[in-house]
Amino acid sequence: MTTSTILITGGAGFIGSHVVRLFVNKYPQYRIVNLDALTYAGNLENLKDIEAAPNYQFEKGDITDEPAMQELFARYAFDGVIHLAAESHVDRSISDPLQFVKTNVLGTANLLNVARKAWANAFSGKRFYHVSTDEVYGSLGEEGFFTEETAYDPRSPYSASKAASDHFVMAYYHTYHFPVVMSNCSNNYGSHHFPEKLIPLMINNILNKKPLPVYGKGENVRDWLWVEDHAKAIDLIFHKGKEGEKYNVGGFNEWKNIDLVHLLCSIMDKKLNRKEGESAELITYVTDRPGHDLRYAIDATKLNKELGWKPSLQFEEGLEKTVDWYLNNSEWVEHVTSGNYQQYYQEQYEQRS
Ligand code: NAD
Ligand code: DAU
């Protein structure tokens, strides 16, 4: 592809903003259109550094809105779509499952359908990339890994909605020969991560000497990946992935939640000149998340062997960079935690304490 117009959905969110930045900077010959509804999780401040780039355009809109998506496809004649827009927080999916069905299932199905009609069966040179999660595979015991062949077994309304969207994507491939590619990634971390998720929430609470709410016994395991490495994987898969295939993306980096929280406390004690162990005193065990998946671990061998991708950063280095970003961007944190974040936090954590 030389001159391409690419639609990135959810580009004002955490991962989407890293993908938009990468594409805008790396491909000056592309036109990058960022479509985002700017929900609580979407923030244009995430893209301040590239907002004036000549190859970048923002469009506010909702992926569930069929006429709006038809108009957008007609206006831009997209060559490719990278679809990240979603409701993404498991705890919110437990309180409000239907919002997840609407955005993640209906929104994805709507986007697929609008793209299929806009491309009117002339699919050559077109590509629809769906960004998904490892949570569709369910929960592992103490051993084993998720591969691309692992059967889907989602357990939360969030993962069920993502699994349904994945099935629609593959159904479009098989039924219409629609040119899809897909990836399922493990937990991301890095800058611009909304502080309802574990790492940024803990950083913010450590900084403000607030209790650090660890669900259950803190024994659950997640496989953490530097968000910029995920963005690079998306770039590779979008350009070189095989049509109709899916790729697992992961950090080869498993941590028990409680060990991760201790590591963050120790990094921040040093940075904030607190005595070693001071922040860890804030750790508070709270009521567990219902249906809490025990362990996720990705086998990303296919992506490594076929496309040569591997994570670039050691976790300790990535966590230090992440903490530094939050300490240097207190204004961003203040903006995203004002307004309805306070109410969300109170409702979530009142029930747990
Ligand atoms: P996020 O919640 O930070 O961002 C989601 C973005 O989508 C926001 O900008 C929001 O405004 C936008 N959005 C929501 N509903 C919309 C709608 N109806 N129309 C248009 N835009 C809408 O999410 P994230 O963590 O950046 O995740 C991005 C994608 O990657 C999601 O599909 C998620 O399932 C997937 N994923 C996330 C992780 C992770 O660790 N965060 C890991 C694997 C996969
Ligand atoms: O695995 C990929 C998924 O990772 C993505 O698809 C999701 O969009 C993303 O939100 C993330 O889901 P998790 O549920 O794993 O992430 P979260 O940050 O919410 O929680 C990580 C772990 O930390 C999980 O075991 C629950 C626990 N936790 C979380 C919070 C917010 C706590 O112990 N305390 C907390 O306050």
PDB file of all heavy atoms in Angstrom, residues 154-188:
ATOM      1  N   PRO A 154     -15.519 -17.680  27.523  1.00  0.00           N
ATOM      2  CA  PRO A 154     -15.540 -16.401  28.253  1.00  0.00           C
ATOM      3  C   PRO A 154     -16.370 -16.496  29.528  1.00  0.00           C
ATOM      4  O   PRO A 154     -17.353 -17.232  29.564  1.00  0.00           O
ATOM      5  CB  PRO A 154     -16.192 -15.449  27.252  1.00  0.00           C
ATOM      6  CG  PRO A 154     -17.017 -16.321  26.371  1.00  0.00           C
ATOM      7  CD  PRO A 154     -16.301 -17.633  26.276  1.00  0.00           C
ATOM      8  N   ARG A 155     -15.965 -15.748  30.558  1.00  0.00           N
ATOM      9  CA  ARG A 155     -16.627 -15.878  31.852  1.00  0.00           C
ATOM     10  C   ARG A 155     -17.186 -14.592  32.418  1.00  0.00           C
ATOM     11  O   ARG A 155     -17.860 -14.614  33.448  1.00  0.00           O
ATOM     12  CB  ARG A 155     -15.631 -16.432  32.867  1.00  0.00           C
ATOM     13  CG  ARG A 155     -15.429 -17.909  32.678  1.00  0.00           C
ATOM     14  CD  ARG A 155     -14.152 -18.363  32.695  1.00  0.00           C
ATOM     15  NE  ARG A 155     -14.031 -19.797  32.497  1.00  0.00           N
ATOM     16  CZ  ARG A 155     -14.070 -20.682  33.475  1.00  0.00           C
ATOM     17  NH1 ARG A 155     -14.362 -20.346  34.704  1.00  0.00           N
ATOM     18  NH2 ARG A 155     -13.832 -21.939  33.195  1.00  0.00           N
ATOM     19  N   SER A 156     -16.855 -13.459  31.819  1.00  0.00           N
ATOM     20  CA  SER A 156     -17.431 -12.195  32.308  1.00  0.00           C
ATOM     21  C   SER A 156     -18.271 -11.610  31.172  1.00  0.00           C
ATOM     22  O   SER A 156     -18.066 -11.958  29.999  1.00  0.00           O
ATOM     23  CB  SER A 156     -16.323 -11.207  32.681  1.00  0.00           C
ATOM     24  OG  SER A 156     -15.707 -10.705  31.501  1.00  0.00           O
ATOM     25  N   PRO A 157     -19.197 -10.704  31.507  1.00  0.00           N
ATOM     26  CA  PRO A 157     -19.952 -10.059  30.411  1.00  0.00           C
ATOM     27  C   PRO A 157     -19.010  -9.364  29.423  1.00  0.00           C
ATOM     28  O   PRO A 157     -19.263  -9.377  28.215  1.00  0.00           O
ATOM     29  CB  PRO A 157     -20.855  -9.066  31.152  1.00  0.00           C
ATOM     30  CG  PRO A 157     -21.040  -9.689  32.509  1.00  0.00           C
ATOM     31  CD  PRO A 157     -19.726 -10.345  32.842  1.00  0.00           C
ATOM     32  N   TYR A 158     -17.904  -8.805  29.913  1.00  0.00           N
ATOM     33  CA  TYR A 158     -16.936  -8.180  28.988  1.00  0.00           C
ATOM     34  C   TYR A 158     -16.383  -9.220  28.023  1.00  0.00           C
ATOM     35  O   TYR A 158     -16.439  -9.050  26.796  1.00  0.00           O
ATOM     36  CB  TYR A 158     -15.788  -7.512  29.768  1.00  0.00           C
ATOM     37  CG  TYR A 158     -14.577  -7.210  28.898  1.00  0.00           C
ATOM     38  CD1 TYR A 158     -14.628  -6.239  27.897  1.00  0.00           C
ATOM     39  CD2 TYR A 158     -13.377  -7.918  29.059  1.00  0.00           C
ATOM     40  CE1 TYR A 158     -13.527  -5.979  27.089  1.00  0.00           C
ATOM     41  CE2 TYR A 158     -12.271  -7.661  28.259  1.00  0.00           C
ATOM     42  CZ  TYR A 158     -12.354  -6.691  27.266  1.00  0.00           C
ATOM     43  OH  TYR A 158     -11.265  -6.435  26.464  1.00  0.00           O
ATOM     44  N   SER A 159     -15.842 -10.324  28.574  1.00  0.00           N
ATOM     45  CA  SER A 159     -15.196 -11.287  27.675  1.00  0.00           C
ATOM     46  C   SER A 159     -16.218 -11.985  26.786  1.00  0.00           C
ATOM     47  O   SER A 159     -15.918 -12.316  25.630  1.00  0.00           O
ATOM     48  CB  SER A 159     -14.341 -12.293  28.450  1.00  0.00           C
ATOM     49  OG  SER A 159     -15.059 -12.916  29.478  1.00  0.00           O
ATOM     50  N   ALA A 160     -17.453 -12.163  27.298  1.00  0.00           N
ATOM     51  CA  ALA A 160     -18.497 -12.762  26.446  1.00  0.00           C
ATOM     52  C   ALA A 160     -18.809 -11.835  25.280  1.00  0.00           C
ATOM     53  O   ALA A 160     -18.999 -12.289  24.138  1.00  0.00           O
ATOM     54  CB  ALA A 160     -19.758 -13.033  27.269  1.00  0.00           C
ATOM     55  N   SER A 161     -18.836 -10.530  25.540  1.00  0.00           N
ATOM     56  CA  SER A 161     -19.140  -9.590  24.447  1.00  0.00           C
ATOM     57  C   SER A 161     -17.988  -9.541  23.442  1.00  0.00           C
ATOM     58  O   SER A 161     -18.211  -9.429  22.235  1.00  0.00           O
ATOM     59  CB  SER A 161     -19.473  -8.193  24.988  1.00  0.00           C
ATOM     60  OG  SER A 161     -18.325  -7.580  25.546  1.00  0.00           O
ATOM     61  N   LYS A 162     -16.751  -9.634  23.920  1.00  0.00           N
ATOM     62  CA  LYS A 162     -15.608  -9.647  22.991  1.00  0.00           C
ATOM     63  C   LYS A 162     -15.611 -10.958  22.189  1.00  0.00           C
ATOM     64  O   LYS A 162     -15.322 -10.967  20.994  1.00  0.00           O
ATOM     65  CB  LYS A 162     -14.280  -9.486  23.744  1.00  0.00           C
ATOM     66  CG  LYS A 162     -14.037  -8.110  24.336  1.00  0.00           C
ATOM     67  CD  LYS A 162     -13.931  -6.987  23.314  1.00  0.00           C
ATOM     68  CE  LYS A 162     -12.677  -7.045  22.468  1.00  0.00           C
ATOM     69  NZ  LYS A 162     -12.543  -5.820  21.618  1.00  0.00           N
ATOM     70  N   ALA A 163     -15.929 -12.076  22.858  1.00  0.00           N
ATOM     71  CA  ALA A 163     -15.975 -13.362  22.154  1.00  0.00           C
ATOM     72  C   ALA A 163     -17.026 -13.305  21.044  1.00  0.00           C
ATOM     73  O   ALA A 163     -16.783 -13.746  19.912  1.00  0.00           O
ATOM     74  CB  ALA A 163     -16.289 -14.487  23.138  1.00  0.00           C
ATOM     75  N   ALA A 164     -18.196 -12.743  21.361  1.00  0.00           N
ATOM     76  CA  ALA A 164     -19.254 -12.640  20.345  1.00  0.00           C
ATOM     77  C   ALA A 164     -18.773 -11.796  19.170  1.00  0.00           C
ATOM     78  O   ALA A 164     -19.007 -12.139  18.000  1.00  0.00           O
ATOM     79  CB  ALA A 164     -20.513 -12.031  20.968  1.00  0.00           C
ATOM     80  N   SER A 165     -18.072 -10.713  19.467  1.00  0.00           N
ATOM     81  CA  SER A 165     -17.593  -9.856  18.370  1.00  0.00           C
ATOM     82  C   SER A 165     -16.562 -10.611  17.529  1.00  0.00           C
ATOM     83  O   SER A 165     -16.566 -10.515  16.297  1.00  0.00           O
ATOM     84  CB  SER A 165     -17.044  -8.527  18.891  1.00  0.00           C
ATOM     85  OG  SER A 165     -15.846  -8.700  19.613  1.00  0.00           O
ATOM     86  N   ASP A 166     -15.702 -11.392  18.178  1.00  0.00           N
ATOM     87  CA  ASP A 166     -14.719 -12.195  17.424  1.00  0.00           C
ATOM     88  C   ASP A 166     -15.438 -13.178  16.488  1.00  0.00           C
ATOM     89  O   ASP A 166     -15.031 -13.381  15.339  1.00  0.00           O
ATOM     90  CB  ASP A 166     -13.839 -13.026  18.373  1.00  0.00           C
ATOM     91  CG  ASP A 166     -12.893 -12.203  19.224  1.00  0.00           C
ATOM     92  OD1 ASP A 166     -13.034 -10.961  19.245  1.00  0.00           O
ATOM     93  OD2 ASP A 166     -12.010 -12.790  19.884  1.00  0.00           O
ATOM     94  N   HIS A 167     -16.502 -13.793  17.014  1.00  0.00           N
ATOM     95  CA  HIS A 167     -17.245 -14.762  16.184  1.00  0.00           C
ATOM     96  C   HIS A 167     -17.868 -14.079  14.967  1.00  0.00           C
ATOM     97  O   HIS A 167     -17.886 -14.645  13.878  1.00  0.00           O
ATOM     98  CB  HIS A 167     -18.338 -15.449  17.017  1.00  0.00           C
ATOM     99  CG  HIS A 167     -17.791 -16.419  18.036  1.00  0.00           C
ATOM    100  ND1 HIS A 167     -16.763 -17.290  17.780  1.00  0.00           N
ATOM    101  CD2 HIS A 167     -18.145 -16.656  19.333  1.00  0.00           C
ATOM    102  CE1 HIS A 167     -16.499 -18.023  18.861  1.00  0.00           C
ATOM    103  NE2 HIS A 167     -17.324 -17.648  19.811  1.00  0.00           N
ATOM    104  N   PHE A 168     -18.381 -12.867  15.147  1.00  0.00           N
ATOM    105  CA  PHE A 168     -18.928 -12.138  13.992  1.00  0.00           C
ATOM    106  C   PHE A 168     -17.838 -11.877  12.949  1.00  0.00           C
ATOM    107  O   PHE A 168     -18.070 -12.015  11.744  1.00  0.00           O
ATOM    108  CB  PHE A 168     -19.580 -10.812  14.433  1.00  0.00           C
ATOM    109  CG  PHE A 168     -21.049 -10.965  14.710  1.00  0.00           C
ATOM    110  CD1 PHE A 168     -21.510 -11.160  16.002  1.00  0.00           C
ATOM    111  CD2 PHE A 168     -21.963 -10.944  13.666  1.00  0.00           C
ATOM    112  CE1 PHE A 168     -22.869 -11.337  16.258  1.00  0.00           C
ATOM    113  CE2 PHE A 168     -23.324 -11.113  13.913  1.00  0.00           C
ATOM    114  CZ  PHE A 168     -23.777 -11.313  15.216  1.00  0.00           C
ATOM    115  N   VAL A 169     -16.662 -11.512  13.425  1.00  0.00           N
ATOM    116  CA  VAL A 169     -15.562 -11.219  12.501  1.00  0.00           C
ATOM    117  C   VAL A 169     -15.227 -12.466  11.672  1.00  0.00           C
ATOM    118  O   VAL A 169     -15.142 -12.412  10.434  1.00  0.00           O
ATOM    119  CB  VAL A 169     -14.319 -10.728  13.297  1.00  0.00           C
ATOM    120  CG1 VAL A 169     -13.088 -10.657  12.400  1.00  0.00           C
ATOM    121  CG2 VAL A 169     -14.610  -9.358  13.922  1.00  0.00           C
ATOM    122  N   MET A 170     -15.089 -13.615  12.340  1.00  0.00           N
ATOM    123  CA  MET A 170     -14.746 -14.839  11.608  1.00  0.00           C
ATOM    124  C   MET A 170     -15.911 -15.302  10.727  1.00  0.00           C
ATOM    125  O   MET A 170     -15.700 -15.849   9.636  1.00  0.00           O
ATOM    126  CB  MET A 170     -14.327 -15.958  12.580  1.00  0.00           C
ATOM    127  CG  MET A 170     -13.027 -15.679  13.321  1.00  0.00           C
ATOM    128  SD  MET A 170     -11.692 -14.959  12.321  1.00  0.00           S
ATOM    129  CE  MET A 170     -11.306 -16.307  11.227  1.00  0.00           C
ATOM    130  N   ALA A 171     -17.150 -15.042  11.197  1.00  0.00           N
ATOM    131  CA  ALA A 171     -18.316 -15.400  10.378  1.00  0.00           C
ATOM    132  C   ALA A 171     -18.325 -14.595   9.081  1.00  0.00           C
ATOM    133  O   ALA A 171     -18.677 -15.125   8.010  1.00  0.00           O
ATOM    134  CB  ALA A 171     -19.606 -15.159  11.166  1.00  0.00           C
ATOM    135  N   TYR A 172     -17.937 -13.341   9.144  1.00  0.00           N
ATOM    136  CA  TYR A 172     -17.870 -12.520   7.920  1.00  0.00           C
ATOM    137  C   TYR A 172     -16.794 -13.055   6.975  1.00  0.00           C
ATOM    138  O   TYR A 172     -16.953 -13.014   5.762  1.00  0.00           O
ATOM    139  CB  TYR A 172     -17.617 -11.034   8.266  1.00  0.00           C
ATOM    140  CG  TYR A 172     -18.921 -10.279   8.403  1.00  0.00           C
ATOM    141  CD1 TYR A 172     -19.862 -10.661   9.352  1.00  0.00           C
ATOM    142  CD2 TYR A 172     -19.235  -9.211   7.565  1.00  0.00           C
ATOM    143  CE1 TYR A 172     -21.071 -10.005   9.472  1.00  0.00           C
ATOM    144  CE2 TYR A 172     -20.441  -8.549   7.675  1.00  0.00           C
ATOM    145  CZ  TYR A 172     -21.355  -8.944   8.631  1.00  0.00           C
ATOM    146  OH  TYR A 172     -22.557  -8.301   8.730  1.00  0.00           O
ATOM    147  N   TYR A 173     -15.715 -13.550   7.528  1.00  0.00           N
ATOM    148  CA  TYR A 173     -14.657 -14.129   6.692  1.00  0.00           C
ATOM    149  C   TYR A 173     -15.193 -15.366   5.968  1.00  0.00           C
ATOM    150  O   TYR A 173     -15.073 -15.503   4.747  1.00  0.00           O
ATOM    151  CB  TYR A 173     -13.443 -14.473   7.550  1.00  0.00           C
ATOM    152  CG  TYR A 173     -12.377 -15.217   6.797  1.00  0.00           C
ATOM    153  CD1 TYR A 173     -11.660 -14.600   5.773  1.00  0.00           C
ATOM    154  CD2 TYR A 173     -12.096 -16.560   7.085  1.00  0.00           C
ATOM    155  CE1 TYR A 173     -10.690 -15.286   5.052  1.00  0.00           C
ATOM    156  CE2 TYR A 173     -11.128 -17.250   6.375  1.00  0.00           C
ATOM    157  CZ  TYR A 173     -10.428 -16.616   5.359  1.00  0.00           C
ATOM    158  OH  TYR A 173      -9.482 -17.289   4.655  1.00  0.00           O
ATOM    159  N   HIS A 174     -15.800 -16.267   6.744  1.00  0.00           N
ATOM    160  CA  HIS A 174     -16.250 -17.533   6.143  1.00  0.00           C
ATOM    161  C   HIS A 174     -17.449 -17.339   5.211  1.00  0.00           C
ATOM    162  O   HIS A 174     -17.547 -17.968   4.165  1.00  0.00           O
ATOM    163  CB  HIS A 174     -16.588 -18.543   7.250  1.00  0.00           C
ATOM    164  CG  HIS A 174     -15.372 -18.999   7.984  1.00  0.00           C
ATOM    165  ND1 HIS A 174     -14.375 -19.749   7.395  1.00  0.00           N
ATOM    166  CD2 HIS A 174     -14.950 -18.777   9.256  1.00  0.00           C
ATOM    167  CE1 HIS A 174     -13.406 -19.988   8.256  1.00  0.00           C
ATOM    168  NE2 HIS A 174     -13.731 -19.400   9.403  1.00  0.00           N
ATOM    169  N   THR A 175     -18.371 -16.449   5.595  1.00  0.00           N
ATOM    170  CA  THR A 175     -19.600 -16.309   4.802  1.00  0.00           C
ATOM    171  C   THR A 175     -19.394 -15.450   3.554  1.00  0.00           C
ATOM    172  O   THR A 175     -19.855 -15.799   2.468  1.00  0.00           O
ATOM    173  CB  THR A 175     -20.711 -15.673   5.675  1.00  0.00           C
ATOM    174  OG1 THR A 175     -20.830 -16.436   6.871  1.00  0.00           O
ATOM    175  CG2 THR A 175     -22.053 -15.650   4.950  1.00  0.00           C
ATOM    176  N   TYR A 176     -18.728 -14.318   3.737  1.00  0.00           N
ATOM    177  CA  TYR A 176     -18.635 -13.352   2.621  1.00  0.00           C
ATOM    178  C   TYR A 176     -17.225 -13.262   2.032  1.00  0.00           C
ATOM    179  O   TYR A 176     -16.981 -12.425   1.175  1.00  0.00           O
ATOM    180  CB  TYR A 176     -19.029 -11.946   3.114  1.00  0.00           C
ATOM    181  CG  TYR A 176     -20.378 -11.878   3.799  1.00  0.00           C
ATOM    182  CD1 TYR A 176     -20.466 -11.660   5.189  1.00  0.00           C
ATOM    183  CD2 TYR A 176     -21.567 -12.008   3.074  1.00  0.00           C
ATOM    184  CE1 TYR A 176     -21.699 -11.581   5.821  1.00  0.00           C
ATOM    185  CE2 TYR A 176     -22.803 -11.928   3.718  1.00  0.00           C
ATOM    186  CZ  TYR A 176     -22.864 -11.716   5.094  1.00  0.00           C
ATOM    187  OH  TYR A 176     -24.081 -11.643   5.713  1.00  0.00           O
ATOM    188  N   HIS A 177     -16.287 -14.058   2.561  1.00  0.00           N
ATOM    189  CA  HIS A 177     -14.863 -13.905   2.195  1.00  0.00           C
ATOM    190  C   HIS A 177     -14.392 -12.483   2.479  1.00  0.00           C
ATOM    191  O   HIS A 177     -13.571 -11.920   1.748  1.00  0.00           O
ATOM    192  CB  HIS A 177     -14.609 -14.289   0.736  1.00  0.00           C
ATOM    193  CG  HIS A 177     -15.119 -15.668   0.408  1.00  0.00           C
ATOM    194  ND1 HIS A 177     -14.598 -16.811   0.976  1.00  0.00           N
ATOM    195  CD2 HIS A 177     -16.135 -16.070  -0.388  1.00  0.00           C
ATOM    196  CE1 HIS A 177     -15.267 -17.859   0.545  1.00  0.00           C
ATOM    197  NE2 HIS A 177     -16.216 -17.445  -0.273  1.00  0.00           N
ATOM    198  N   PHE A 178     -14.974 -11.900   3.527  1.00  0.00           N
ATOM    199  CA  PHE A 178     -14.623 -10.535   3.920  1.00  0.00           C
ATOM    200  C   PHE A 178     -13.192 -10.555   4.478  1.00  0.00           C
ATOM    201  O   PHE A 178     -12.843 -11.443   5.257  1.00  0.00           O
ATOM    202  CB  PHE A 178     -15.643 -10.070   4.978  1.00  0.00           C
ATOM    203  CG  PHE A 178     -15.526  -8.629   5.348  1.00  0.00           C
ATOM    204  CD1 PHE A 178     -15.830  -7.631   4.418  1.00  0.00           C
ATOM    205  CD2 PHE A 178     -15.127  -8.258   6.624  1.00  0.00           C
ATOM    206  CE1 PHE A 178     -15.730  -6.296   4.766  1.00  0.00           C
ATOM    207  CE2 PHE A 178     -15.025  -6.925   6.973  1.00  0.00           C
ATOM    208  CZ  PHE A 178     -15.329  -5.947   6.040  1.00  0.00           C
ATOM    209  N   PRO A 179     -12.348  -9.588   4.077  1.00  0.00           N
ATOM    210  CA  PRO A 179     -10.904  -9.674   4.370  1.00  0.00           C
ATOM    211  C   PRO A 179     -10.544  -9.252   5.801  1.00  0.00           C
ATOM    212  O   PRO A 179     -10.132  -8.117   6.046  1.00  0.00           O
ATOM    213  CB  PRO A 179     -10.294  -8.705   3.352  1.00  0.00           C
ATOM    214  CG  PRO A 179     -11.368  -7.700   3.096  1.00  0.00           C
ATOM    215  CD  PRO A 179     -12.680  -8.411   3.246  1.00  0.00           C
ATOM    216  N   VAL A 180     -10.654 -10.198   6.710  1.00  0.00           N
ATOM    217  CA  VAL A 180     -10.402  -9.866   8.123  1.00  0.00           C
ATOM    218  C   VAL A 180      -9.056 -10.415   8.581  1.00  0.00           C
ATOM    219  O   VAL A 180      -8.495 -11.345   8.003  1.00  0.00           O
ATOM    220  CB  VAL A 180     -11.495 -10.457   9.044  1.00  0.00           C
ATOM    221  CG1 VAL A 180     -12.877 -10.026   8.612  1.00  0.00           C
ATOM    222  CG2 VAL A 180     -11.405 -11.979   9.113  1.00  0.00           C
ATOM    223  N   VAL A 181      -8.575  -9.818   9.659  1.00  0.00           N
ATOM    224  CA  VAL A 181      -7.476 -10.383  10.425  1.00  0.00           C
ATOM    225  C   VAL A 181      -7.764  -9.977  11.874  1.00  0.00           C
ATOM    226  O   VAL A 181      -8.470  -8.993  12.113  1.00  0.00           O
ATOM    227  CB  VAL A 181      -6.098  -9.883   9.903  1.00  0.00           C
ATOM    228  CG1 VAL A 181      -5.898  -8.407  10.180  1.00  0.00           C
ATOM    229  CG2 VAL A 181      -4.953 -10.684  10.454  1.00  0.00           C
ATOM    230  N   MET A 182      -7.230 -10.760  12.837  1.00  0.00           N
ATOM    231  CA  MET A 182      -7.630 -10.516  14.217  1.00  0.00           C
ATOM    232  C   MET A 182      -6.477 -10.841  15.160  1.00  0.00           C
ATOM    233  O   MET A 182      -5.626 -11.676  14.827  1.00  0.00           O
ATOM    234  CB  MET A 182      -8.808 -11.458  14.500  1.00  0.00           C
ATOM    235  CG  MET A 182      -9.501 -11.232  15.778  1.00  0.00           C
ATOM    236  SD  MET A 182     -11.060 -12.148  15.698  1.00  0.00           S
ATOM    237  CE  MET A 182     -10.603 -13.608  16.540  1.00  0.00           C
ATOM    238  N   SER A 183      -6.454 -10.182  16.316  1.00  0.00           N
ATOM    239  CA  SER A 183      -5.463 -10.578  17.335  1.00  0.00           C
ATOM    240  C   SER A 183      -6.101 -10.585  18.710  1.00  0.00           C
ATOM    241  O   SER A 183      -7.081  -9.873  18.967  1.00  0.00           O
ATOM    242  CB  SER A 183      -4.246  -9.649  17.304  1.00  0.00           C
ATOM    243  OG  SER A 183      -4.637  -8.324  17.521  1.00  0.00           O
ATOM    244  N   ASN A 184      -5.538 -11.410  19.589  1.00  0.00           N
ATOM    245  CA  ASN A 184      -6.014 -11.529  20.969  1.00  0.00           C
ATOM    246  C   ASN A 184      -4.831 -11.273  21.888  1.00  0.00           C
ATOM    247  O   ASN A 184      -3.870 -12.046  21.905  1.00  0.00           O
ATOM    248  CB  ASN A 184      -6.577 -12.933  21.228  1.00  0.00           C
ATOM    249  CG  ASN A 184      -7.793 -13.203  20.366  1.00  0.00           C
ATOM    250  OD1 ASN A 184      -7.664 -13.513  19.179  1.00  0.00           O
ATOM    251  ND2 ASN A 184      -8.964 -13.073  20.932  1.00  0.00           N
ATOM    252  N   CYS A 185      -4.911 -10.194  22.632  1.00  0.00           N
ATOM    253  CA  CYS A 185      -3.741  -9.752  23.408  1.00  0.00           C
ATOM    254  C   CYS A 185      -3.981  -9.857  24.911  1.00  0.00           C
ATOM    255  O   CYS A 185      -5.103  -9.801  25.397  1.00  0.00           O
ATOM    256  CB  CYS A 185      -3.418  -8.306  23.031  1.00  0.00           C
ATOM    257  SG  CYS A 185      -1.876  -7.715  23.755  1.00  0.00           S
ATOM    258  N   SER A 186      -2.882  -9.971  25.633  1.00  0.00           N
ATOM    259  CA  SER A 186      -2.919 -10.005  27.102  1.00  0.00           C
ATOM    260  C   SER A 186      -2.975  -8.581  27.659  1.00  0.00           C
ATOM    261  O   SER A 186      -3.085  -7.616  26.909  1.00  0.00           O
ATOM    262  CB  SER A 186      -1.677 -10.729  27.610  1.00  0.00           C
ATOM    263  OG  SER A 186      -0.522  -9.985  27.268  1.00  0.00           O
ATOM    264  N   ASN A 187      -2.868  -8.456  28.980  1.00  0.00           N
ATOM    265  CA  ASN A 187      -2.992  -7.151  29.659  1.00  0.00           C
ATOM    266  C   ASN A 187      -1.904  -6.180  29.227  1.00  0.00           C
ATOM    267  O   ASN A 187      -0.716  -6.481  29.346  1.00  0.00           O
ATOM    268  CB  ASN A 187      -2.869  -7.330  31.177  1.00  0.00           C
ATOM    269  CG  ASN A 187      -4.077  -7.994  31.775  1.00  0.00           C
ATOM    270  OD1 ASN A 187      -4.388  -9.128  31.441  1.00  0.00           O
ATOM    271  ND2 ASN A 187      -4.760  -7.299  32.662  1.00  0.00           N
ATOM    272  N   ASN A 188      -2.319  -5.003  28.792  1.00  0.00           N
ATOM    273  CA  ASN A 188      -1.372  -3.950  28.420  1.00  0.00           C
ATOM    274  C   ASN A 188      -1.117  -3.026  29.605  1.00  0.00           C
ATOM    275  O   ASN A 188      -1.974  -2.856  30.466  1.00  0.00           O
ATOM    276  CB  ASN A 188      -1.959  -3.084  27.312  1.00  0.00           C
ATOM    277  CG  ASN A 188      -1.993  -3.758  25.954  1.00  0.00           C
ATOM    278  OD1 ASN A 188      -1.849  -3.100  24.941  1.00  0.00           O
ATOM    279  ND2 ASN A 188      -2.189  -5.068  25.906  1.00  0.00           N
TER     280      ASN A 188
END
